[in-house]
Amino acid sequence: MAKDRSYEELHPEVQQRVNRQRRFTEAVPGGLPALLKGTEGSSSTYQGLVNPQVRRDYALEGSSTGGYVMESPYLRDNYANMGIPDEMWMNPENKNPAQTASHEANHILARKQLGAAANINQKFDELLGDFTTRKNKAGEEEKKYLGRKRTDFVRAASEAYPYLKEKYGIESAYLDPKMLEFQAKAGKLPNLLYEQLATLASIEDTQGVDLTKDPVLRKTLFKDRDVRETYNALTGLRMTRLDRHDIEPMTRVEEPTTGTIDKFKRMIGFAEGGYVENAGNKKLI
């Protein structure tokens, strides 16, 4: 595994990108806990990182960017990306560092497992069975990810944005309909999923709620049980293992049924949300 390799063994291009950012930014002594003194919120997902570090990037001042993480954008570097230290860069003017840290921690956990944060998109398709298989020139079977259910989720998340803003106070360009319109024109609409998942997960992480049990979202964004199970597998601490007894990272766990009627609906393909006892309670890992 890449995380067992020393930093010096990483792809030289990855090293250069990370080291360049380190030279021009400032480390926050104490990391996120120090930033949160006197503010509301926390981030349990951040605590799931290995030696997490936060750095201030003053070049972000005056911009709408809250923060970012580093990785090489090239497919050939995915393996090397897994070994990049768990660092994130934050806008010094950030008004909600806990939420940003949670968002970026989701990207780091995805990067550590899949080699790049955006690879969550294909993993979403895979867990939902939204792909076809074909043989390549070498005669080996490979998957072609379709992104149909991913596109549906991206649109549904954007439609839920007004509700998310009102109830949870979230502000996110990735959920804004204007962003969807822009990405659709570029033919990249399904690619927004991994950013949307990190944003939704940051709400759960910092506000102690489970969005898949929200009674309103249960009728829209999370009405499909397969989608709920996949979302839970690809967000927060379910992307890693905190203990050797934990399930494998990014593994779907079947939701418990609440009664005979629910079991019958599941058997005949009914996957709609419906009533959930203690809706909105804190998500369990």
Side-chain angles (χ1 to χ4, degrees):
M1 293 292 291
K3 59 187 177 183
D4 296 325
R5 305 164 69 197
S6 69
Y7 178 65
E8 287 71 23
E9 291 180 287
L10 294 173
H11 192 289
E13 184 172 319
V14 180
Q15 293 185 51
Q16 291 170 12
R17 286 169 59 86
V18 176
N19 289 337
R20 184 167 59 246
Q21 292 306 102
R22 285 182 181 150
R23 285 199 301 272
F24 296 107
T25 57
E26 173 188 68
V28 178
L32 181 65
L35 283 178
L36 294 180
K37 287 183 179 179
T39 65
E40 295 294 328
S42 62
S43 176
S44 60
T45 305
Y46 176 88
Q47 302 304 322
L49 304 180
V50 178
N51 190 27
Q53 301 290 323
V54 177
R55 303 185 69 85
R56 293 187 180 96
D57 187 343
Y58 291 95
L60 295 179
E61 290 182 327
S63 74
S64 59
T65 300
Y68 61 91
V69 296
M70 294 291 293
E71 63 181 42
S72 172
Y74 301 107
L75 182 63
R76 67 174 184 269
D77 291 340
N78 273 0
Y79 185 72
N81 280 337
M82 295 179 184
I84 296 177
D86 294 355
E87 297 172 300
M88 60 184 68
W89 282 259
M90 194 90 68
N91 188 331
E93 299 175 333
N94 194 310
K95 298 297 190 295
N96 197 337
Q99 185 173 292
T100 297
S102 177
H103 180 110
E104 302 305 336
N106 271 268
H107 287 335
I108 291 174
L109 290 177
R111 184 187 72 198
K112 290 167 75 71
Q113 293 296 331
L114 302 175
N119 288 343
I120 282 287
N121 289 336
Q122 287 75 30
K123 193 67 176 178
F124 186 87
D125 292 357
E126 180 181 316
L127 293 185
L128 284 171
D130 193 18
F131 61 87
T132 60
T133 57
R134 61 185 180 185
K135 289 188 177 180
N136 58 26
K137 293 181 179 179
E140 302 169 330
E141 281 200 347
E142 60 182 16
K143 294 177 181 177
K144 177 185 178 182
Y145 300 102
L146 302 177
R148 297 172 301 192
K149 295 181 180 180
R150 196 181 348 143
T151 299
D152 291 341
F153 187 95
V154 168
R155 292 190 185 280
S158 180
E159 291 171 0
Y161 187 35
Y163 173 74
L164 292 167
K165 287 177 68 174
E166 179 181 356
K167 182 165 184 179
Y168 299 106
I170 187 71
E171 293 284 345
S172 173
Y174 302 117
L175 298 171
D176 194 307
K178 294 180 181 178
M179 174 64 79
L180 262 69
E181 182 180 354
F182 174 79
Q183 294 293 341
K185 288 181 179 178
K188 299 180 179 180
L189 183 61
N191 296 351
L192 276 175
L193 177 95
Y194 81 103
E195 293 287 9
Q196 290 186 343
L197 292 190
T199 298
L200 294 170
S202 73
I203 297 175
E204 297 183 321
D205 191 27
T206 58
Q207 299 189 35
V209 297
D210 185 341
L211 294 181
T212 67
K213 294 179 181 178
D214 181 290
V216 173
L217 298 178
R218 192 85 169 181
K219 298 175 183 177
T220 55
L221 182 60
F222 293 117
K223 66 181 180 181
D224 188 293
R225 179 172 181 162
D226 291 329
V227 168
R228 293 196 299 271
E229 291 177 359
T230 299
Y231 167 82
N232 284 332
L234 298 180
T235 52
L237 295 176
R238 287 280 292 280
M239 290 192 285
T240 188
R241 299 183 79 176
L242 301 179
D243 184 270
R244 64 186 179 88
H245 298 296
D246 290 345
I247 61 173
E248 289 292 326
M250 299 183 177
T251 302
R252 276 180 57 174
V253 175
E254 186 175 355
E255 281 186 3
T257 52
T258 57
T260 304
I261 294 179
D262 284 338
K263 291 179 181 178
F264 177 71
K265 285 183 176 180
R266 181 66 166 164
M267 288 172 59
I268 64 175
F270 247 128
E272 293 188 359
Y275 172 77
V276 181
E277 185 178 3
N278 298 324
N281 277 8
K282 187 174 180 64
K283 183 186 290 288
L284 298 176
I285 297 174

